[in-house]
Each structure stands twice: as structure tokens, then as C-alpha cells.
């Protein structure tokens, strides 16, 4: 297959597997999504979804959040990891949302990325999932799969995002990045990967990736 054929195969396969696409992080509005995405850094979505109801029961908007002490926030979100940084970020961005944006989450990459503890990936998730703006947030799952599928040579998520935006149609970015995340979790994991179940990598995978898998599998027998 040439590159365009591989791209089409990926899109068609993912549409068959995920005709409806669940949002990984539970939320009710842009603010709760922003907080959930911030908490998901180096933490599983499952864990975040267990913790956010506890936090949002006390504060699900910036006005209530700034009434909390940073230590109180830190104690609630501790299971998500990086709690000192994340708690300061949550409190700091809540103040900024009130002071600069009328308590609303801004619909702007520039303004979102100005917020404490909010990087480009977090901003991209909020823009795409909360506001429907085309974006292609690249996490470790997408980075791993784009490389395995020989659709990027990117050594980092920045290059992988550029490649994804170049080869996939803009109108499907918001759905596709979620489909790839779900596929990576279910069929193309970093550890315990079973190539026989990973139909996309098995069909279009990078030659060196397939050879490495075969060597590892053969040597383990």
C-alpha cells in the first residue's frame, strides 16, 4: 500500500470499529473538561474519572474552586499524581478565568495555553471536545500508533501532530484522534501487545516494527 492507501485503510477500519465514539473523560461543560484533562497528565483516564466527582462535588466552577485552599485540592487529587503542581494549576487558572475571561473557559488556543499547567495538548483537547474546533491532540497512544503505522517518523509528539494534520482530512480530526486513542488501548498497547489482534499494524505496520515484534515473539518461545 502507498501512504494514501494506508491512510484510507486506517480511517475505514477505525470507523468500522468505533462508529460511535465515547469521550474518555467524564465532564459536563468546558471547565470540568479542562480540569479533567489537566488531571490526566501521567494518569489514567479511569483514575481521573474516579477522582473528578469528588473534586466537582466541592467545586465544579472557578468561583467555587477559588474558595478552596490549595492543600484541600491537592489532597483530593493526590491519587492522580503530580498533585502539588496540578493543585496550584487548578487554583491559578480558576483565578485567571474569573479575572480575565468572566469565569468562562476561552475558545482560543492562545488564551488556553496561557493558563497555568495547560499545555498545547490540553488546549487541543478542550478546543476539540468542548468547542468542536478542529484539533489533533497527540498523546502517547497516538504517537506510538502513528509510528507503528509508518505515518510519521516523528521523534516527538510535536512532529507527530504536524504529520497527522497533514495526512488526515481536517473535518475528521476531532473524531479520529479519539478513535486512535481507543484503538491503541484495546489493540495496540505499549506492553502486552498482541499483533494478531492489531489488524491495522499487522496490515500496514512499519517493517522494522513488525520485524522487532517477530524477533521478540520468536525468542520468547
Amino acid at each position: 500500500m502507498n501512504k494514501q492507501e494506508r491512510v484510507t485503510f486506517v480511517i475505514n477500519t477505525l470507523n468500522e470499529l468505533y462508529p460511535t465514539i465515547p469521550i474518555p473523560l467524564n465532564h459536563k461543560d468546558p471547565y470540568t473538561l479542562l480540569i479533567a484533562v489537566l488531571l490526566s497528565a501521567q494518569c489514567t483516564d479511569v483514575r481521573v474519572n474516579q477522582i473528578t466527582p469528588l473534586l466537582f462535588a466541592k467545586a465544579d466552577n472557578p468561583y467555587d474552586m477559588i474558595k478552596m485552599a490549595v492543600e484541600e485540592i491537592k489532597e483530593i487529587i493526590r491519587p492522580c499524581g503530580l498533585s502539588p503542581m496540578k493543585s496550584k494549576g487548578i487554583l491559578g487558572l480558576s483565578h485567571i478565568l474569573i479575572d480575565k475571561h468572566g469565569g468562562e473557559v476561552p475558545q482560543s488556543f492562545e488564551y488556553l495555553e496561557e493558563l497555568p499547567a495547560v499545555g498545547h495538548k490540553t488546549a487541543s483537547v478542550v478546543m476539540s471536545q468542548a468547542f468542536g474546533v478542529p484539533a489533533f491532540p497527540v498523546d502517547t497512544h497516538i504517537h506510538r500508533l502513528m509510528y507503528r503505522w509508518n505515518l510519521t517518523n516523528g521523534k516527538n509528539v510535536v512532529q507527530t501532530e504536524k504529520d497527522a494534520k497533514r495526512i488526515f482530512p481536517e473535518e475528521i480530526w476531532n473524531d479520529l484522534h479519539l478513535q486512535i486513542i481507543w484503538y491503541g488501548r484495546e489493540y495496540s498497547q505499549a506492553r502486552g501487545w498482541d499483533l494478531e489482534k492489531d489488524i491495522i499494524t499487522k496490515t500496514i505496520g512499519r517493517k522494522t516494527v513488525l520485524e522487532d515484534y517477530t524477533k521478540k515473539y520468536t525468542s520468547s518461545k
Side-chain angles (χ1 to χ4, degrees):
M1 290 188 195
N2 62 34
K3 193 166 207 174
Q4 187 52 53
E5 289 170 337
R6 294 202 307 275
V7 168
T8 301
F9 177 75
V10 167
I11 293 170
N12 291 342
T13 303
L14 292 174
N15 281 336
E16 288 177 14
L17 287 171
Y18 307 105
T20 57
I21 310 156
I23 302 295
L25 292 168
N26 297 334
H27 65 282
K28 67 175 186 176
D29 57 21
Y31 179 76
T32 52
L33 176 62
L34 174 61
I35 301 304
V37 179
L38 187 157
L39 290 175
S40 71
Q42 297 185 37
C43 181
T44 66
D45 291 347
V46 171
R47 176 64 58 84
V48 173
N49 287 335
Q50 292 170 344
I51 298 304
T52 48
L54 306 177
L55 179 63
F56 296 153
K58 290 180 174 289
D60 62 359
N61 62 80
Y63 295 96
D64 287 335
M65 194 67 75
I66 65 170
K67 296 175 185 175
M68 297 178 68
V70 68
E71 288 297 324
E72 188 179 3
I73 298 172
K74 184 168 71 173
E75 191 57 37
I76 294 172
I77 68 172
R78 191 181 301 279
C80 292
L82 305 177
S83 57
M85 180 199 74
K86 290 177 180 178
S87 57
K88 290 177 183 176
I90 290 170
L91 201 56
L93 71 82
S94 297
H95 277 287
I96 293 172
L97 292 181
I98 293 169
D99 295 341
K100 289 186 63 176
H101 304 288
E104 300 294 327
V105 175
Q107 298 186 39
S108 159
F109 283 99
E110 180 184 0
Y111 287 140
L112 284 169
E113 291 179 35
E114 287 177 352
L115 298 172
V118 175
H120 179 66
K121 183 216 158 190
T122 296
S124 295
V125 173
V126 172
M127 291 296 284
S128 64
Q129 295 178 14
F131 302 125
V133 175
F136 210 105
V138 173
D139 68 355
T140 54
H141 297 291
I142 293 177
H143 184 59
R144 178 176 68 250
L145 270 60
M146 287 283 290
Y147 182 82
R148 283 182 177 176
W149 298 343
N150 202 18
L151 297 177
T152 183
N153 290 316
K155 302 299 183 184
N156 54 58
V157 295
V158 175
Q159 184 59 50
T160 299
E161 180 182 341
K162 289 179 181 176
D163 291 337
K165 287 181 171 179
R166 190 181 71 252
I167 63 178
F168 292 118
E170 183 175 330
E171 62 269 19
I172 67 170
W173 288 354
N174 289 356
D175 285 345
L176 187 67
H177 89 267
L178 287 173
Q179 290 172 318
I180 296 176
I181 288 171
W182 286 115
Y183 185 88
R185 292 176 182 178
E186 292 190 61
Y187 301 105
S188 196
Q189 304 89 342
R191 299 185 183 88
W193 174 34
D194 184 350
L195 183 61
E196 291 304 309
K197 296 178 181 178
D198 183 355
I199 183 64
I200 296 180
T201 308
K202 187 177 178 182
T203 304
I204 66 166
R206 182 184 296 270
K207 185 179 178 182
T208 53
V209 169
L210 299 177
E211 288 174 348
D212 288 346
Y213 180 92
T214 301
K215 287 177 186 175
K216 184 177 180 181
Y217 180 76
T218 303
S219 65
S220 65
K221 280 196 161 186

